[in-house]
Amino acid sequence: MAEKKLSKKALNKSFRNWYYGHLTCFSQEHMQTFGYLCAMLPLVEELYETKEEQKKAMDTYTAFFNTEPQVGSVIVGITAGLEEARANGNEDVDSETINGLRAGLMGPIAGIGDSLLVGTLIPIGLSSGGSIVGPIFYIVAWNLIVTLGMRFLYFKGYELGGKAVDVLVGEQATAIREAVVTLGTMVVGSVAATWVSVTTSFHLVNDAGEEFLNLQKQLDSVYPGCLTAAVVIFCWWLMAKKKVSPVITMLILVAVAFVGVLVGFFNPGLQY
């Protein structure tokens, strides 16, 4: 069987789909999943002849995905190379390998992209001191840098994807995948610790109105951030172990918060 090779036309179409459509059907449950599917569709259609093969290949990319979309184009390029290797019969590249790589890279890439673009490039581009030249320069520079940068990263990722097969299999495969996944898990953990904050307002007072028990202070003295960790682990348990959808998980959190406010365990801090 002749070796399958993605054409320049298919790769360009895939890149354009990601460039313009990475936020396709964006929702809190799926984030960039549908954008990723749009990017992979022209590649899968070229690599596989039958609808059954195409459907099986596309099922790989229905897993949740979210990253910084500009720098994250390198991940799409890498999976394009891996998909080409899988279509050529490489048994070491399967859905688990591809999704493991995607899940492991999207956290670190998001951290790099947000710091580089959102935290650095955008503020520099907009720092014009009130001059009209500032926004004009930003619009031109942003589109030029992002377009050329995304294209460069996508095609470099594609080149790496094919060569990465040799690295991702064999004795080094497990160690590399575990290292990438561990790094991604650390990023997710640090994001949870930074952006999620759960505290309780529950306290007891004596007959004189003096507080003698502040539950939050007691918890902080034993394990700072205990309630935050408990909520994050609870959400992980619901979605990972009980297969509860993110939407239902959010509704459960709303119900818990509502009941907690009613019984005085949580204080929303609202003033009327």
Side-chain angles (χ1 to χ4, degrees):
M1 184 178 67
E3 182 181 2
K4 299 178 180 179
K5 186 72 175 176
L6 287 168
S7 66
K8 198 74 172 180
K9 179 180 179 181
L11 289 169
N12 283 326
K13 186 175 182 180
S14 171
F15 168 73
R16 287 195 301 270
N17 286 357
W18 177 253
Y19 181 84
Y20 293 111
H22 53 261
L23 297 181
T24 299
C25 299
F26 187 91
S27 69
Q28 293 300 318
E29 184 174 0
H30 299 289
M31 296 290 186
Q32 297 167 3
T33 303
F34 292 110
Y36 212 110
L37 286 166
C38 289
M40 296 304 299
L41 183 59
L43 307 180
V44 169
E45 287 179 337
E46 184 170 87
L47 289 171
Y48 302 98
E49 297 180 357
T50 67
K51 291 295 184 181
E52 290 74 16
E53 290 177 320
Q54 293 174 3
K55 180 180 178 181
K56 184 178 179 181
M58 290 298 291
D59 281 342
T60 302
Y61 306 100
T62 57
F64 175 85
F65 184 82
N66 186 51
T67 191
E68 199 288 313
Q70 280 74 45
V71 180
S73 58
V74 68
I75 304 177
V76 186
I78 290 174
T79 52
L82 292 176
E83 191 61 58
E84 182 181 80
R86 178 165 69 166
N88 282 305
N90 192 319
E91 297 179 356
D92 294 311
V93 180
D94 54 15
S95 296
E96 183 178 352
T97 301
I98 294 174
N99 274 326
L101 186 69
R102 292 203 311 155
L105 288 177
M106 66 181 183
I109 290 295
I112 295 172
D114 288 341
S115 300
L116 185 62
L117 297 178
V118 181
T120 303
L121 182 59
I122 293 178
I124 291 175
L126 291 176
S127 58
S128 60
S131 171
I132 189 63
V133 177
I136 296 175
F137 171 78
Y138 167 74
I139 292 172
V140 175
W142 169 262
N143 284 283
L144 188 63
I145 293 172
V146 165
T147 301
L148 296 178
M150 288 181 68
R151 185 176 180 83
F152 173 80
L153 289 173
Y154 177 90
F155 283 94
K156 278 298 178 183
Y158 168 66
E159 294 175 11
L160 175 64
K163 298 175 183 177
V165 176
D166 296 331
V167 180
L168 292 172
V169 298
E171 296 181 356
Q172 300 180 10
T174 302
I176 291 175
R177 283 198 295 266
E178 288 182 355
V180 173
V181 172
T182 300
L183 180 59
T185 304
M186 291 172 62
V187 172
V188 172
S190 63
V191 169
T194 304
W195 291 98
V196 181
S197 177
V198 182
T199 58
T200 178
S201 59
F202 182 82
H203 65 282
L204 296 175
V205 297
N206 56 25
D207 295 336
E210 298 176 346
E211 181 182 85
F212 67 89
L213 174 64
N214 186 306
L215 182 57
Q216 185 61 49
K217 290 182 179 179
Q218 294 296 321
L219 291 174
D220 287 342
S221 65
V222 177
Y223 185 170
C226 174
L227 290 178
T228 299
V231 170
V232 172
I233 293 172
F234 175 64
C235 293
W236 168 81
W237 177 76
L238 285 176
M239 292 185 287
K241 298 299 182 181
K242 295 300 180 181
K243 306 302 180 183
V244 178
S245 72
V247 172
I248 299 300
T249 301
M250 287 188 284
L251 291 176
I252 292 174
L253 292 179
V254 170
V256 170
F258 182 76
V259 173
V261 170
L262 289 179
V263 301
F265 191 81
F266 297 127
N267 180 9
L270 301 177
Q271 296 181 354
Y272 301 96

